[in-house]
Amino acid sequence: GGYNGSFNLTWLPYSATYDTAFRLKRKQTQEHHKIGYQAHVQNIGWQQPVYDGAMAGTTGKSLRLEGLKIFTQDGTLVEQVEVYIEGKGWVTYKKPGKDTVIGTTGQSKALYSMRIKTSKHCKFRIHRQTKGWTGWGWCNGKDCVNYKDKLRIEAIEIKRV
């Protein structure tokens, strides 16, 4: 038993306008969900925002990352961020907005570990004092690194996958 009926096949002409509109809409959707982040670094202050896998912070300069802002255009991606702050322990930020400072500024406090939870598939990694880059971890709310060794975070990269 296969299909014994008939069907009509209609060829539609290629529409450059439709294709262009589809590509534009797809690009707008991707940019709408683009993840951005901005680092506050010891002796530097706020750096320019970066996006989707670019580095925020510094490497090779022994400067601590003290604060971070994580954002998307629609504000729906980031569900929760937890950071282990020098002298304070774990601090939780639920649904941080684009102006939410995760960590501190002006207090000379290092960040030792971070947990990021997002509603979409994202990964992140951090650059640690004397250790270099960690492997990529999922943004699923689990620790990126052990905070007990008190090695400061110096840079971060976050990307959509």
Side-chain angles (χ1 to χ4, degrees):
Y3 179 75
N4 292 326
S6 64
F7 61 91
N8 290 328
L9 181 62
T10 305
W11 291 98
L12 298 174
Y14 175 75
S15 169
T17 304
Y18 174 78
D19 186 57
T20 302
F22 175 77
R23 288 181 190 197
L24 180 59
K25 180 66 175 166
R26 187 174 64 197
K27 183 177 181 192
Q28 288 171 342
T29 300
Q30 288 170 342
E31 291 195 7
H32 193 61
H33 293 293
K34 185 185 283 190
I35 189 160
Y37 39 104
Q38 184 176 13
H40 187 277
V41 178
Q42 169 189 1
N43 298 335
I44 294 175
W46 287 108
Q47 296 180 320
Q48 290 297 311
V50 296
Y51 300 89
D52 292 325
M55 184 184 77
T58 62
T59 59
K61 296 183 178 181
S62 297
L63 298 174
R64 67 182 166 265
L65 191 144
E66 299 175 336
L68 186 69
K69 295 177 182 178
I70 305 174
F71 50 88
T72 58
Q73 286 183 337
D74 64 0
T76 61
L77 181 65
V78 183
E79 293 179 359
Q80 181 172 296
V81 179
E82 295 176 274
V83 291
Y84 194 93
I85 303 172
E86 177 182 2
K88 294 184 178 189
W90 285 107
V91 178
T92 301
Y93 302 85
K94 292 186 181 281
K95 296 195 183 283
K98 66 181 176 116
D99 296 321
T100 303
V101 176
I102 298 162
T104 65
T105 61
Q107 297 180 34
S108 300
K109 302 281 186 190
L111 304 179
Y112 295 133
S113 190
M114 187 174 301
R115 301 171 182 151
I116 301 173
K117 186 173 183 183
T118 60
S119 60
K120 305 286 184 199
H121 294 292
C122 291
K123 286 187 167 188
F124 77 109
R125 68 181 187 160
I126 56 178
H127 187 276
R128 302 181 69 219
Q129 167 190 357
T130 69
K131 295 288 186 185
W133 288 103
T134 63
W136 288 96
W138 288 101
C139 295
N140 59 7
K142 297 184 179 174
D143 289 7
C144 186
V145 295
N146 182 348
Y147 59 90
K148 294 178 183 173
D149 61 12
K150 299 208 183 318
L151 294 176
R152 70 179 170 265
I153 296 173
E154 297 178 341
I156 186 169
E157 295 176 346
I158 308 170
K159 65 181 178 179
R160 297 280 312 271
V161 289

